[in-house]
Amino acid sequence: MIRFNLICDSKHNFEIWFSGSSDFEKQTSMGLVSCPHCGSVEVEKALMTPSVSTSRKKEASTRLALNNAQQAAMDHLRGAVKAIKENSEDVGERFPEEARKIHYGESEERGIIGQAKPEEVKALVEEGVGIAPLPDLPEEKN
């Protein structure tokens, strides 16, 4: 895609994207390109300054993309944690006991959440009980 700065016979400036220079020429010759201000089809390319990509622009663009990707990941993670909490029973401090009962078939299989001390977590993992911590996420900024 290429962006052209255009000017009509009434001196209105505007820009349009084309798939290439030949696409611009073809559409202009067919009268398909018109000024959005006055409707004139008498348009030509205006003087354009090239867009030079500097390292600062690249850095800013990379930061913006990273920030957008990080925000999207955080939003996804918030949604996942919310769904887990909404679809699980909060067993509080009984978590280690309930997790073991489910693991050994002594209690119905279901999603549970709760609290466990580090040594209890270690023991559950050593027993092969499938558990995972839910992250404490910062509040969503508006």
Side-chain angles (χ1 to χ4, degrees), residues 61-138:
S61 176
T62 300
R63 268 195 312 274
L64 179 61
L66 186 57
N67 286 341
N68 289 342
Q70 287 171 328
Q71 186 60 51
M74 185 61 77
D75 291 344
H76 185 73
L77 187 55
R78 277 190 186 100
V81 169
K82 181 180 177 188
I84 290 169
K85 287 181 177 181
E86 288 175 351
N87 294 292
S88 299
E89 178 185 344
D90 189 346
V91 295
E93 293 178 2
R94 294 180 322 180
F95 180 82
E97 177 187 341
E98 288 297 318
R100 278 190 183 92
K101 285 181 180 178
I102 293 169
H103 178 74
Y104 292 112
E106 298 168 6
S107 186
E108 67 183 76
E109 191 166 319
R110 66 198 189 281
I112 61 170
I113 58 174
Q115 297 85 37
K117 295 176 183 160
E119 60 272 10
E120 294 171 326
V121 170
K122 182 179 178 191
L124 288 169
V125 170
E126 287 173 353
E127 287 178 51
V129 179
I131 61 170
L134 285 179
D136 284 328
L137 301 173

